[in-house]
Amino acid sequence: TIVVLKLLCFYSKFVFINKIIFKLFQDKAKINITNLIEEFSQTLKNNITYEKIMSLLPDSYICRYFKPKDKWSGGYILEELKEEIEFISKGTGCNFKIIEGDDKRDIFRNSIVTSINKGYPVLFLDRGLNLAVIYGYRDNGNILLTRCYIDPCAMEPDFDTTIFTPIKDMVPFFVFMDNFVTPLPRESAVIDALKNVDVKWRGKKREVINNYNENGTILYGIAAYQEWISDLQSVKNILPEKINQIKFTSWWNSICIRNKRNTLVSFFRNLASDPLKDEDDLQYDELAKVYMQEVRLLKPICDREAWKYEYTIEEWDKYREEDIEIIKQLLENEKKAYQIISVINSRNN
């Protein structure tokens, strides 16, 4: 790892790119837009925290459940990423530009070279459709120095190793960061997110097409929990290869929700500690308590690290029943959280 970090420092032209990449190496689980903005903003003295960014995203407050056709998946879709970027931009003042499409390769290359020369890393989708970071280039931008989240398609023995990626082989989707402008006030940005929670909680669903070969349905809120529980209840006796799909999806959903809620606990406790409390601050304190209960509820599923193990039918049946009971409790807890969010929204119409 030390050798790799030295290579990164050698190839990265600007000091603050080195700082960003170093932090990303320290925690593999945070190769995402939230983590990158946090490191980027702190380097530029804007001090936008991971907790604040998560509080700006409506999906941080709800459950989402993605069902591609004929399988289960913990994946996300590009339309959601675009929506998240819009909320983050308004709440942080960090400007973004997305360029996508197979017919824009020259624009990709020129924009990436320009961004790196300015000292701004670029986000892209690796071949596993995970967010990853471009931090340097060779051959006028035809070869890019990338740090992937986890890219099994890259065939690298150690995914911490820098991958030299030809731009012609990349998924045609890039996110560029620019300068900072004045953001919405902190609580106004949070209220903006909470109002969108209200829409999604009531069972919104969306059909997904043209999502790089992973099409299907995404459910939100109550509908997401109900579908998740229903799937676990309906797959008591399935083939071992199918067990791997559903067990990973259940674990991945759980760990994502737990991470979001744990982050919101920290954020709302800070809001509620304001000595000049108003009624919303009291509600934020209640919201933090409810989310802390969810963090504790999900611990057994998350600690199981289902992705590491092959389950027998008997083991699967035992863990499946445990998951169902935990998710049912989680749904009841979410109803309490939604009631609190509804009160906050009613006062801020």
Side-chain angles (χ1 to χ4, degrees):
T1 303
I2 297 298
V3 173
V4 173
L5 288 172
K6 286 181 178 178
L7 282 172
L8 285 171
C9 293
F10 175 77
Y11 284 119
S12 300
K13 186 174 180 181
F14 291 84
V15 172
F16 63 87
I17 293 186
N18 296 335
K19 291 181 179 178
I20 292 168
I21 300 298
F22 187 87
K23 283 298 292 291
L24 293 175
F25 263 94
Q26 289 179 317
D27 187 349
K28 303 181 189 70
K30 288 186 177 180
I31 298 295
N32 56 40
I33 193 164
T34 305
N35 181 248
L36 189 63
I37 295 169
E38 179 186 34
E39 300 309 323
F40 181 66
S41 71
Q42 288 180 357
T43 306
L44 297 181
K45 311 302 182 187
N46 289 68
N47 197 32
I48 301 170
T49 65
Y50 186 80
E51 288 78 11
K52 177 180 178 180
I53 298 167
M54 290 293 279
S55 74
L56 303 173
L57 305 177
D59 283 0
S60 294
Y61 301 85
I62 60 172
C63 174
R64 55 179 298 289
Y65 192 69
F66 183 26
K67 288 193 68 173
K69 293 178 180 177
D70 304 320
K71 65 175 182 176
W72 295 279
S73 169
Y76 69 97
I77 61 170
L78 293 185
E79 290 307 312
E80 287 185 320
L81 176 59
K82 294 174 187 176
E83 292 167 5
E84 288 181 349
I85 287 173
E86 183 178 345
F87 280 103
I88 291 171
S89 294
K90 287 192 293 185
T92 65
C94 183
N95 283 331
F96 291 95
K97 177 175 68 174
I98 296 172
I99 302 179
E100 58 180 323
D102 279 316
D103 58 339
K104 298 179 181 178
R105 296 287 173 175
D106 288 339
I107 297 175
F108 293 157
R109 185 178 59 253
N110 294 337
S111 297
I112 290 167
V113 168
T114 299
S115 186
I116 296 301
N117 286 344
K118 287 168 61 179
Y120 297 164
V122 178
L123 286 176
F124 75 104
L125 292 176
D126 66 21
R127 281 170 285 175
L129 299 185
N130 298 297
L131 276 171
V133 181
I134 301 168
Y135 69 92
Y137 63 87
R138 287 181 171 180
D139 187 25
N140 297 316
N142 289 308
I143 303 295
L144 301 173
L145 280 63
T146 64
R147 159 73 168 98
C148 292
Y149 175 53
I150 298 175
D151 189 353
C153 304
M155 301 303 290
E156 293 286 340
D158 177 357
F159 60 75
D160 280 348
T161 302
T162 298
I163 298 175
F164 297 88
T165 308
I167 192 169
K168 66 182 179 61
D169 295 337
M170 299 178 85
V171 175
F173 184 93
F174 298 87
V175 183
F176 296 89
M177 293 188 291
D178 203 347
N179 61 337
F180 284 84
V181 297
T182 303
L184 285 175
R186 180 179 65 173
E187 292 202 39
S188 297
V190 173
I191 294 299
D192 194 32
L194 292 180
K195 287 178 178 176
N196 280 271
V197 172
D198 193 53
V199 175
K200 287 189 171 182
W201 168 256
R202 291 194 294 268
K204 177 181 176 182
K205 74 163 64 172
R206 70 199 304 173
E207 297 302 318
V208 181
I209 58 173
N210 298 325
N211 190 54
Y212 295 101
N213 298 320
E214 198 168 57
N215 304 327
T217 303
I218 287 194
L219 300 104
Y220 300 95
I222 293 177
Y225 279 110
Q226 291 171 339
E227 191 73 15
W228 186 1
I229 292 167
S230 174
D231 279 353
L232 287 169
Q233 288 173 331
S234 66
V235 293
K236 183 173 182 178
N237 297 305
I238 58 175
L239 296 173
E241 57 267 28
K242 288 288 187 179
I243 289 177
N244 289 334
Q245 282 185 18
I246 185 66
K247 77 171 184 182
F248 175 82
T249 298
S250 191
W251 172 79
W252 184 253
N253 282 345
S254 299
I255 205 165
C256 288
I257 292 171
R258 191 168 190 251
N259 172 265
K260 292 172 183 177
R261 302 303 189 267
N262 198 36
T263 305
L264 292 175
V265 168
S266 174
F267 179 79
F268 283 119
R269 279 178 174 170
N270 287 333
L271 273 188
S273 66
D274 189 333
L276 301 175
K277 277 187 169 64
D278 61 17
E279 288 187 48
D280 280 351
D281 291 328
L282 297 175
Q283 296 298 324
Y284 293 148
D285 189 44
E286 290 302 308
L287 202 52
K289 291 175 182 175
V290 172
Y291 285 148
M292 193 66 241
Q293 292 173 359
E294 296 188 9
V295 170
R296 295 186 182 118
L297 271 174
L298 287 167
K299 188 175 187 299
I301 300 179
C302 297
D303 286 352
R304 202 181 301 146
E305 296 189 302
W307 58 277
K308 288 184 178 179
Y309 308 107
E310 296 288 334
Y311 288 166
T312 64
I313 295 293
E314 292 74 20
E315 287 173 326
W316 161 244
D317 201 41
K318 173 180 177 290
Y319 291 137
R320 181 183 65 85
E321 292 292 343
E322 289 178 7
D323 283 15
I324 289 170
E325 290 309 308
I326 289 171
I327 297 162
K328 284 180 177 178
Q329 293 178 59
L330 191 64
L331 173 56
E332 293 308 309
N333 228 58
E334 288 281 276
K335 291 176 182 177
K336 296 176 187 176
Y338 176 68
Q339 289 174 350
I340 296 169
I341 290 171
S342 296
V343 171
I344 296 172
N345 284 337
S346 68
R347 281 207 296 269
N348 290 278
N349 282 333

